[in-house]
Amino acid sequence: MRNDRMNTIYFPAFAAFGGSAFGAISTIVTGWVTRRRRLRERHHAHAVSKREKLYRSFIEEASRLYADALTSDKSEIPALVNLYALIGRMRILSSDEVVHAAERAGRLIIETYLAPNTSFVDLPGFMEEMDPLREFGEACRREMQTTPSR
């Protein structure tokens, strides 16, 4: 009888120890999950920011080159290399749709350099009918909208 009495005395102690252990483990797991989620969100925000900077650089460079190509006979080979370097970086970070749109914009700029110059009087009408970066901008917008926020 004494032996049974001793066993029943330990039950509350084991229950308290088990509850404490469960509470400690759940706190550790919750902290770990929260930290991983925060790191994943920070990584996602950094990746989106990186792509936005890359797209902005491409748009600025392509716009400048396109305007130069419309009015100049001389191509800026170093600037074209920079443009294609930006496209190469997009191949790593961006969707195929964005890369293809950037490549088409690059080809259009080269074709514009090879075409006869446009006079300043013809520029307003010419720019309205042809926006070399419209397709690229729309592809970037679609990519940014479809990228899940994690």
Side-chain angles (χ1 to χ4, degrees):
M1 193 171 219
R2 182 165 157 67
N3 205 8
D4 289 340
R5 195 168 171 209
M6 289 292 265
N7 289 338
T8 58
I9 291 175
Y10 291 122
F11 285 131
F14 286 137
F17 176 73
S20 295
F22 182 76
I25 290 171
S26 65
T27 301
I28 290 169
V29 169
T30 301
W32 179 74
V33 167
T34 303
R35 186 168 186 270
R36 273 189 55 89
R37 185 181 310 131
R38 238 184 277 133
L39 286 173
R40 191 172 34 232
E41 288 171 357
R42 190 177 306 141
H43 176 71
H44 176 69
H46 179 69
V48 167
S49 173
K50 195 177 202 179
R51 268 187 278 157
E52 286 175 347
K53 288 177 186 175
L54 177 61
Y55 297 161
R56 181 178 53 236
S57 296
F58 179 80
I59 289 170
E60 290 169 355
E61 188 71 20
S63 297
R64 190 183 66 70
L65 284 171
Y66 186 67
D68 184 61
L70 286 172
T71 58
S72 175
D73 287 334
K74 285 186 169 183
S75 63
E76 292 188 33
I77 301 297
L80 286 170
V81 170
N82 289 338
L83 187 73
Y84 277 92
L86 291 171
I87 294 172
R89 288 179 54 202
M90 281 182 221
R91 285 189 184 99
I92 297 169
L93 300 173
S94 304
S95 67
D96 289 340
E97 181 186 11
V98 171
V99 172
H100 293 309
E103 288 172 341
R104 283 189 288 276
R107 273 194 297 278
L108 178 65
I109 290 169
I110 291 172
E111 290 169 4
T112 306
Y113 269 118
L114 297 173
N117 289 343
T118 305
S119 68
F120 188 73
V121 175
D122 298 333
L123 280 180
F126 189 71
M127 291 301 276
E128 284 179 13
E129 77 180 48
M130 188 173 204
D131 181 3
L133 296 173
R134 177 179 292 147
E135 183 183 352
F136 175 76
E138 290 171 357
C140 291
R141 184 176 343 105
R142 279 191 298 274
E143 180 185 73
M144 295 304 227
Q145 287 173 347
T146 59
T147 303
S149 59
R150 299 174 186 180

